[in-house]
Amino acid sequence: MTITIRKLDSTQADFQRDLHHLLAFEASTDEAIEHAVTTILHDVKARGDAAVLEYTNRFDRVNATSMQALDLPQSELKAALQAIPEAQRQALETAAQRIRVFHERQKQELNGFTYTEPDGTVLGQRVTPLDRVGIYVPGGKAAYPSSVLMNAIPAQVAGVQDIVMVVPTPDGVKNQMVLAAAAIAGVTRVLTIGGAQAVAALAYGTETIPPVDKIVGPGNAYVAAAKRRVFGVVGIDMIAGPSEILVLCDGTTDPDWVAMDLFSQAEHDELAQAILLCPDAEYIAKVEESIHKLLPDMPRKDVITKSLTDRGALIKVRDMQEACAIASDIAAEHLEISSENPQHWADQIRHAGALFLGRFSSESLGDYCCGPNHVLPTSRTARFSSPLGVYDFQKRSSILHVSEAGAQTLGKVAAELAYGEGLQAHARSAELRLK
Amino acid sequence: MTITIRKLDSTQADFQRDLHHLLAFEASTDEAIEHAVTTILHDVKARGDAAVLEYTNRFDRVNATSMQALDLPQSELKAALQAIPEAQRQALETAAQRIRVFHERQKQELNGFTYTEPDGTVLGQRVTPLDRVGIYVPGGKAAYPSSVLMNAIPAQVAGVQDIVMVVPTPDGVKNQMVLAAAAIAGVTRVLTIGGAQAVAALAYGTETIPPVDKIVGPGNAYVAAAKRRVFGVVGIDMIAGPSEILVLCDGTTDPDWVAMDLFSQAEHDELAQAILLCPDAEYIAKVEESIHKLLPDMPRKDVITKSLTDRGALIKVRDMQEACAIASDIAAEHLEISSENPQHWADQIRHAGALFLGRFSSESLGDYCCGPNHVLPTSRTARFSSPLGVYDFQKRSSILHVSEAGAQTLGKVAAELAYGEGLQAHARSAELRLK
């Protein structure tokens, strides 16, 4: 097993161009997928349960005769929680507890406000939970119980009453750890449906499935296309790109640790991206040695090799200061600052989905159980978006209670501006309130 | 001028179906527009300034020879502020000041947090502003200075350094009130470009225009299509549907006021929606009389008539309680509760973009100068989204600083779950940190 990883040096003339090329990723849109999804969405919207049932039987190779057969009772979730090994159950519960604590802090931050002006006018902002959300959980091989916790717990903490999870069960195989996680995370209903048909059922509703207000969670290309299409009818979380890790290291961390951290991202899929930024050429060489040494023992070494070869890089920078500037530009999903005094460098980072500070903060700890969410902005979108959080399951409403006295002063200002914009009914509506 | 407004009664058998029909609105996608926008986006991405210049000269019928000619100096904004009538300038400044105060409150609410666990692990969330945003302001007839204030001030309060406004100037005509508003709102650069070419320039950047992180603001069908397309490369605010007002009245408000409030929404455009919910049939008749009486004097009576006829309704409900349930279902952009003790009814409303409480709180006051934002979720999206705010110009990053002791307990939990998901490098990365 040999592997060649791209090496870049920030002092080279073409560095900016090479870096840009390395980061470039454009999600391709597949016309066949778009077409299939459009058909499925229309069909489920028009025919409801019957269409969902047909597609599920066909795509997941099952033989359900009614929607009821695809609707898991809570007792089955509880049974799964009892059925999994004790160590797994405890790990899930510990992770859930820590995720809940972190997200409770998020909730405390956003309470809304009101203030009263001297003339009695009250202005404010109200924060309330969404009524009902849908959580998409992939089935089959890449079934991630941690994803159930990370998507459902913030919704539950936000106060969402109905948390509907959909998870396909190809060939009828149910993942017990996923169902156990649903039991722990407070999911209120589980439907064993998936694909675009599940997204359509959640967005439009059917005879047996009430429509939700927002759909979150990862999925394949069909699910992503369907989510894009129903956006507006319901809210959606972001459409995630391939996962990324950027390790910023001053050369003081065990190179094996850094190599394994790069692997932990690269093993996700062949498009995942793992990059090291370091000012120390000798240290970079050591990390490379560790990569060669550790790779052969990795069960997912084929994926890791492809990912690191195609999209990975070891980048020599002038100094840590420059590393921070480059990292801000990259705006990575996961940024590890594996160095002495990591807070000093963190203060210079303008954009990142999550910052892992210090050499003990491996991304894997955050992926599962530290508490913060593992659903993070990818593909440089950390420049303008945030980790999934309680706030994604709440919405704000403005409150305006204008007093009679307030209407006198505000009415004149509003009328002046409304006439200036040629909106005379706006102006008259304000003026009617003047004494 | 005669007008016939649809009347519904919640006790009728077909009420739910009729209400659903009334609210149904599907934005049509025009293939010709989609195609034109795709071409323009590709062209600006490939050719930069040259393409922007060509499209601007063609579509806006101007003769600019360089991008510099489309780049307004700050002195021109300041001159506009001096040139407009004193009353307009004062109204803009009063509105801006009040909008700033409200949005400062929003900012105070979101400061981020950190907490330290007994083993020294620090977890938290950081809130930072976006670097650079673009604000689209329509030019020509429907030029709204209030929109400049409502979009730019939250960005400025959030701490965004570069606020780039684009506003087309068809036939070279500049709206002085719009430029004055830009001066007041702290816009850092104004480019007189518009359409899909302006959206492309902001999203991809050109030789003279650096790419922004997010684009907000209203626009025509070309602008909306372009924003949808660049979403992901940059953030966008929502794609707004037609504006809506829902008045919930107990029959104690002057019917002229309610009629004019319905007009103030209906005059926006022919697709706008104005609906009254009231338990008192006699009062509804009075509002109808007021509509007939007041309509002939409205300069925009043609638009109002078309809007009220096609999409308006006067709905008789059983009682205020039922009105609140229906209003929650409608999830209106603007909800006026024009009644005695409006807070009592507001507490029963689950979804609305903005709640206007009491009969002095006309929507027009909120549109211009109360302080809360006038960019609000339309088309029932208030079920899951919020008014434009400071939070739209900030993003959160998670902070994870795991101590050596923390890595010991968290590492075992993470490894257990990672092995359960078949992600061995994740598990090894956690285990390497175990002593």
Side-chain angles (χ1 to χ4, degrees):
Chain A
M1 170 78 45
T2 60
I3 179 169
T4 312
I5 307 183
R6 183 184 291 101
K7 285 200 208 130
L8 300 179
D9 186 320
S10 68
T11 61
Q12 285 174 337
D14 291 336
F15 175 68
Q16 280 302 333
R17 196 204 58 191
D18 291 348
L19 180 65
H20 186 260
H21 186 74
L22 174 69
L23 299 175
F25 177 80
E26 207 147 342
S28 57
T29 45
D30 183 319
E31 282 307 319
I33 291 177
E34 292 293 328
H35 182 74
V37 164
T38 304
T39 304
I40 294 169
L41 293 180
H42 281 133
D43 203 16
V44 171
K45 195 175 179 183
R47 298 197 300 125
D49 284 340
V52 174
L53 205 55
E54 281 173 29
Y55 286 117
T56 301
N57 283 336
R58 190 196 314 171
F59 296 141
D60 294 337
R61 300 168 299 280
V62 292
N63 293 298
T65 52
S66 72
M67 282 303 292
Q68 214 186 332
L70 302 172
D71 207 337
L72 296 189
Q74 286 286 331
S75 58
E76 193 161 341
L77 309 186
K78 293 210 176 71
L81 188 56
Q82 298 308 318
I84 61 173
E86 173 69 9
Q88 273 188 5
R89 191 180 60 71
Q90 280 188 7
L92 279 176
E93 281 175 349
T94 301
Q97 172 60 15
R98 296 185 56 88
I99 294 165
R100 194 165 277 125
V101 166
F102 182 85
H103 288 81
E104 289 283 0
R105 288 299 298 256
Q106 284 186 335
K107 190 184 183 185
Q108 283 164 29
E109 236 206 348
L110 203 60
N111 293 313
F113 58 85
T114 57
Y115 58 94
T116 305
E117 304 195 314
D119 65 19
T121 295
V122 177
L123 300 170
Q125 188 168 278
R126 195 175 81 167
V127 181
T128 51
L130 275 57
D131 283 348
R132 185 184 297 122
V133 301
I135 293 178
Y136 192 95
V137 176
K141 283 175 204 160
Y144 296 138
S146 59
S147 233
V148 177
L149 302 184
M150 292 290 184
N151 281 277
I153 291 174
Q156 197 197 29
V157 170
V160 175
Q161 290 299 305
D162 293 336
I163 303 174
V164 184
M165 179 174 124
V166 293
V167 55
T169 53
D171 300 308
V173 179
K174 294 168 190 165
N175 182 308
Q176 295 301 309
M177 213 171 160
V178 162
L179 300 186
I184 290 172
V187 169
T188 53
R189 189 175 180 188
V190 175
L191 297 159
T192 57
I193 60 176
Q197 59 275 18
V199 174
L202 291 173
Y204 304 127
T206 70
E207 299 90 322
T208 62
I209 306 171
V212 303
D213 299 307
K214 188 166 188 169
I215 302 173
V216 300
N220 63 19
Y222 290 85
V223 173
K227 280 170 66 183
R228 266 187 196 279
R229 292 281 176 130
V230 300
F231 176 53
V233 178
V234 295
I236 61 168
D237 58 349
M238 69 197 68
I239 306 288
S243 195
E244 314 142 10
I245 191 172
L246 179 65
V247 181
L248 201 160
C249 184
D250 62 0
T252 61
T253 304
D254 184 330
D256 282 0
W257 295 15
V258 169
M260 194 59 77
D261 291 358
L262 297 175
F263 288 178
S264 77
Q265 200 54 38
E267 77 172 340
H268 267 298
D269 85 73
E270 295 176 351
L271 290 170
Q273 184 156 59
I275 298 176
L276 170 65
L277 289 179
C278 177
D280 181 342
E282 281 179 37
Y283 181 79
I284 291 177
K286 282 187 199 156
V287 171
E288 205 178 5
E289 274 171 41
S290 294
I291 289 173
H292 289 291
K293 177 184 74 184
L294 297 169
L295 185 61
D297 289 337
M298 294 282 96
R300 297 173 67 83
K301 61 184 168 232
D302 293 344
V303 176
I304 294 171
T305 302
K306 175 94 173 127
S307 160
L308 284 184
T309 307
D310 290 355
R311 303 205 69 223
L314 305 174
I315 303 179
K316 160 85 172 64
V317 292
R318 290 179 177 84
D319 50 33
M320 287 292 281
Q321 192 105 11
E322 187 187 39
C324 290
I326 294 170
S328 289
D329 219 42
I330 293 176
E333 182 189 12
H334 305 97
L335 174 65
E336 282 187 11
I337 303 184
S338 199
S339 73
E340 299 294 328
N341 197 4
Q343 188 62 54
H344 174 73
W345 306 117
D347 292 342
Q348 301 187 30
I349 300 294
R350 291 201 321 285
H351 316 293
L355 293 120
F356 295 79
L357 307 187
R359 63 181 61 90
F360 286 98
S361 305
S362 70
E363 189 212 306
S364 56
L365 300 180
D367 283 344
Y368 289 107
C369 59
C370 284
N373 213 286
H374 78 190
V375 181
L376 295 166
T378 59
S379 307
R380 300 193 69 228
T381 60
R383 290 175 297 127
F384 55 83
S385 53
S386 303
L388 188 73
V390 170
Y391 36 82
D392 287 300
F393 300 101
Q394 298 174 314
K395 43 20 184 216
R396 301 163 171 100
S397 301
S398 302
I399 307 288
L400 304 90
H401 195 160
V402 179
S403 68
E404 182 168 357
Q408 309 309 308
T409 51
L410 294 173
K412 287 174 197 130
V413 175
E416 179 69 36
L417 294 173
Y419 283 124
E421 294 186 352
L423 295 174
Q424 297 88 356
H426 282 69
R428 292 295 302 141
S429 163
E431 286 174 342
L432 284 178
R433 269 88 174 173
L434 299 179
K435 277 192 216 167
Chain B
M1 172 78 44
T2 60
I3 179 170
T4 313
I5 307 182
R6 182 183 292 100
K7 284 198 207 135
L8 299 179
D9 187 320
S10 68
T11 61
Q12 287 174 337
D14 291 337
F15 175 69
Q16 281 302 332
R17 196 204 57 191
D18 292 347
L19 180 65
H20 187 260
H21 186 74
L22 174 69
L23 299 175
F25 177 81
E26 207 147 342
S28 58
T29 45
D30 183 320
E31 282 306 319
I33 291 177
E34 293 293 329
H35 183 73
V37 164
T38 304
T39 304
I40 294 169
L41 293 180
H42 280 133
D43 203 17
V44 171
K45 195 175 178 185
R47 298 197 299 125
D49 284 340
V52 174
L53 205 55
E54 280 172 31
Y55 286 117
T56 301
N57 284 335
R58 192 197 312 169
F59 296 140
D60 293 338
R61 300 168 299 279
V62 293
N63 292 299
T65 52
S66 74
M67 282 302 293
Q68 214 187 331
L70 303 172
D71 207 338
L72 296 189
Q74 285 286 332
S75 58
E76 193 162 342
L77 309 186
K78 294 212 176 69
L81 190 55
Q82 298 310 317
I84 60 173
E86 172 69 9
Q88 274 188 3
R89 189 179 62 73
Q90 279 188 9
L92 279 176
E93 282 176 350
T94 301
Q97 172 59 17
R98 294 185 59 87
I99 295 165
R100 193 165 278 126
V101 167
F102 183 85
H103 288 82
E104 289 283 359
R105 287 300 296 256
Q106 283 187 336
K107 190 184 183 185
Q108 283 164 29
E109 234 204 351
L110 204 60
N111 293 313
F113 58 84
T114 57
Y115 58 94
T116 306
E117 304 194 313
D119 65 20
T121 294
V122 177
L123 299 170
Q125 188 167 279
R126 196 175 81 167
V127 182
T128 50
L130 275 56
D131 283 347
R132 184 183 299 123
V133 301
I135 293 178
Y136 192 96
V137 176
K141 283 175 204 160
Y144 296 139
S146 59
S147 232
V148 177
L149 302 184
M150 292 291 184
N151 281 277
I153 291 173
Q156 198 197 28
V157 170
V160 175
Q161 290 299 305
D162 293 336
I163 304 174
V164 183
M165 178 174 124
V166 293
V167 55
T169 53
D171 301 306
V173 178
K174 294 169 191 165
N175 182 308
Q176 295 301 308
M177 213 170 160
V178 163
L179 299 186
I184 290 172
V187 169
T188 53
R189 189 174 179 188
V190 175
L191 296 158
T192 57
I193 59 177
Q197 60 274 18
V199 174
L202 291 172
Y204 304 126
T206 69
E207 298 90 321
T208 62
I209 306 171
V212 302
D213 299 307
K214 188 166 189 170
I215 301 174
V216 300
N220 63 19
Y222 290 86
V223 173
K227 280 170 65 182
R228 266 188 196 280
R229 292 283 176 130
V230 299
F231 176 52
V233 178
V234 295
I236 61 168
D237 57 350
M238 68 198 68
I239 307 287
S243 195
E244 315 142 9
I245 192 172
L246 179 65
V247 181
L248 201 159
C249 185
D250 62 359
T252 62
T253 304
D254 183 331
D256 282 0
W257 296 15
V258 170
M260 194 59 77
D261 292 358
L262 297 174
F263 288 178
S264 76
Q265 200 55 37
E267 76 173 341
H268 267 297
D269 84 72
E270 295 176 350
L271 291 171
Q273 184 155 58
I275 298 175
L276 171 65
L277 290 179
C278 177
D280 180 342
E282 282 179 37
Y283 181 79
I284 291 177
K286 282 187 198 156
V287 171
E288 205 177 4
E289 275 171 40
S290 293
I291 288 173
H292 289 292
K293 178 184 74 183
L294 296 169
L295 185 61
D297 289 337
M298 297 282 74
R300 297 173 67 83
K301 61 184 168 233
D302 293 344
V303 176
I304 294 171
T305 301
K306 176 94 171 126
S307 160
L308 284 184
T309 305
D310 290 356
R311 305 204 69 224
L314 306 174
I315 303 179
K316 161 84 172 64
V317 292
R318 289 178 178 86
D319 50 32
M320 287 291 282
Q321 193 104 10
E322 188 188 38
C324 290
I326 294 171
S328 289
D329 219 42
I330 292 176
E333 182 190 11
H334 305 97
L335 174 65
E336 283 187 10
I337 304 184
S338 199
S339 73
E340 300 293 327
N341 198 4
Q343 187 62 54
H344 174 72
W345 305 117
D347 291 343
Q348 299 187 33
I349 300 295
R350 292 202 320 285
H351 317 292
L355 293 121
F356 296 79
L357 307 188
R359 63 182 61 92
F360 286 98
S361 306
S362 70
E363 189 212 305
S364 57
L365 301 181
D367 283 344
Y368 289 108
C369 59
C370 283
N373 212 287
H374 78 191
V375 181
L376 295 165
T378 59
S379 308
R380 299 193 69 227
T381 60
R383 290 176 296 126
F384 55 83
S385 53
S386 303
L388 187 73
V390 170
Y391 37 81
D392 287 301
F393 300 100
Q394 298 174 313
K395 42 24 184 215
R396 301 160 171 102
S397 300
S398 302
I399 307 288
L400 304 89
H401 195 160
V402 178
S403 68
E404 182 168 359
Q408 308 310 306
T409 52
L410 294 172
K412 287 173 197 131
V413 176
E416 179 69 35
L417 294 173
Y419 284 123
E421 294 186 352
L423 295 174
Q424 298 89 356
H426 282 70
R428 293 295 302 142
S429 161
E431 287 174 342
L432 284 178
R433 268 90 175 173
L434 299 179
K435 276 190 217 164

